[in-house]
Amino acid sequence: MHLQSEGFQVTAAADGEAGLHAFRDGSYALVILDWMLPTMSGIDVLREIRSTDSRTPILMLTARGEEADKVLGLELGCDDYLTKPFGIRELAARVKVLLRRIERAEELARISSGDRILDLGPLKIDHGKRKVQVNGEPVLLTVKEYDLLFTLASRPGRTFSRRQLLDMV
């Protein structure tokens, strides 16, 4: 409920098997996983997810707060570990950080794979040189203006809140 009020789409699963099934059938930007789930433990779900997917960020959210439990979770592949009780604002902040990290990694992968020039008809952005042209004419932009333009142009069709844009730029 709180994550939905922050603008996230949320899918909930009642137990470990249902969660793993939903993960395999869907496409998720992030998984929040409890250790102590019915039918299949969160650690077993984590192992199963990591056996086929190393990219989707996983946040363990659990009452198991011993150092050994945290270390095990992190070693098995969770990206962050938050113990109960927790603050809703902290959870939302951690979710945003994990999603930002993935977006940055994807952007760097696009850039390093040679996708350095965005060609959007009359608008051309050479990200390697940080140069912009409209109809062949150079456009002078400040650093922030360039970053904002590139952020929006490299993600066509997506909408962002002011806060998301501030975080990304």
Side-chain angles (χ1 to χ4, degrees), residues 66-92:
E66 297 295 319
E67 181 181 16
D69 296 329
K70 293 177 186 179
V71 169
L72 178 61
L74 293 166
E75 286 179 346
L76 290 176
C78 76
D79 298 283
D80 199 358
Y81 197 104
L82 184 60
T83 56
K84 298 176 186 176
F86 61 92
I88 296 300
R89 290 177 43 208
E90 180 181 5
L91 173 62

Side-chain angles (χ1 to χ4, degrees), residues 105-135:
E106 287 172 352
E107 182 177 334
L108 288 173
R110 278 195 306 272
I111 292 167
S112 66
S113 70
D115 189 14
R116 299 176 71 89
I117 297 178
L118 285 177
D119 187 350
L120 303 168
L123 174 66
K124 299 207 183 342
I125 302 173
D126 185 336
H127 194 57
K129 296 178 182 174
R130 294 181 63 91
K131 292 188 178 185
V132 176
Q133 290 182 345
V134 174
N135 294 321

Side-chain angles (χ1 to χ4, degrees), residues 1 4 8-9 16 18 21-22 47 51 66 90 96 101 107 109 116-117 148 156 163 165 167:
M1 176 177 68
Q4 286 174 328
F8 296 105
Q9 287 184 316
H21 183 71
R47 282 186 180 115
S51 72
E66 297 295 319
E90 180 181 5
K96 290 174 185 174
R101 188 179 305 152
E107 182 177 334
R116 299 176 71 89
I117 297 178
L148 180 60
R163 169 80 354 223
L165 288 172
D167 288 343

Side-chain angles (χ1 to χ4, degrees), residues 2-162:
H2 294 289
L3 290 174
Q4 286 174 328
S5 72
E6 290 279 335
F8 296 105
Q9 287 184 316
V10 176
T11 302
D15 59 54
E17 286 180 3
L20 185 58
H21 183 71
F23 180 80
R24 287 179 175 157
D25 288 346
S27 176
Y28 296 94
L30 174 99
V31 174
I32 299 175
L33 190 57
D34 194 346
W35 188 310
M36 295 176 280
L37 294 171
T39 69
M40 182 178 196
S41 77
I43 284 296
D44 290 335
V45 173
L46 174 62
R47 282 186 180 115
E48 286 293 318
I49 290 173
R50 285 297 180 237
S51 72
T52 60
D53 181 328
S54 63
R55 298 188 61 178
T56 303
I58 298 175
L59 169 66
M60 289 294 291
L61 179 61
T62 180
R64 297 190 61 147
E66 297 295 319
E67 181 181 16
D69 296 329
K70 293 177 186 179
V71 169
L72 178 61
L74 293 166
E75 286 179 346
L76 290 176
C78 76
D79 298 283
D80 199 358
Y81 197 104
L82 184 60
T83 56
K84 298 176 186 176
F86 61 92
I88 296 300
R89 290 177 43 208
E90 180 181 5
L91 173 62
R94 286 175 184 259
V95 166
K96 290 174 185 174
V97 165
L98 287 170
L99 293 175
R100 249 192 338 260
R101 188 179 305 152
I102 291 300
E103 279 190 22
R104 285 186 188 132
E106 287 172 352
E107 182 177 334
L108 288 173
R110 278 195 306 272
I111 292 167
S112 66
S113 70
D115 189 14
R116 299 176 71 89
I117 297 178
L118 285 177
D119 187 350
L120 303 168
L123 174 66
K124 299 207 183 342
I125 302 173
D126 185 336
H127 194 57
K129 296 178 182 174
R130 294 181 63 91
K131 292 188 178 185
V132 176
Q133 290 182 345
V134 174
N135 294 321
E137 296 294 321
V139 177
L140 298 176
L141 299 172
T142 67
V143 171
K144 289 292 180 203
E145 288 170 337
Y146 174 85
D147 290 341
L148 180 60
L149 177 64
F150 181 76
T151 297
L152 293 170
S154 64
R155 296 167 178 87
R158 296 227 7 228
T159 56
F160 300 98
S161 69
R162 181 178 186 276

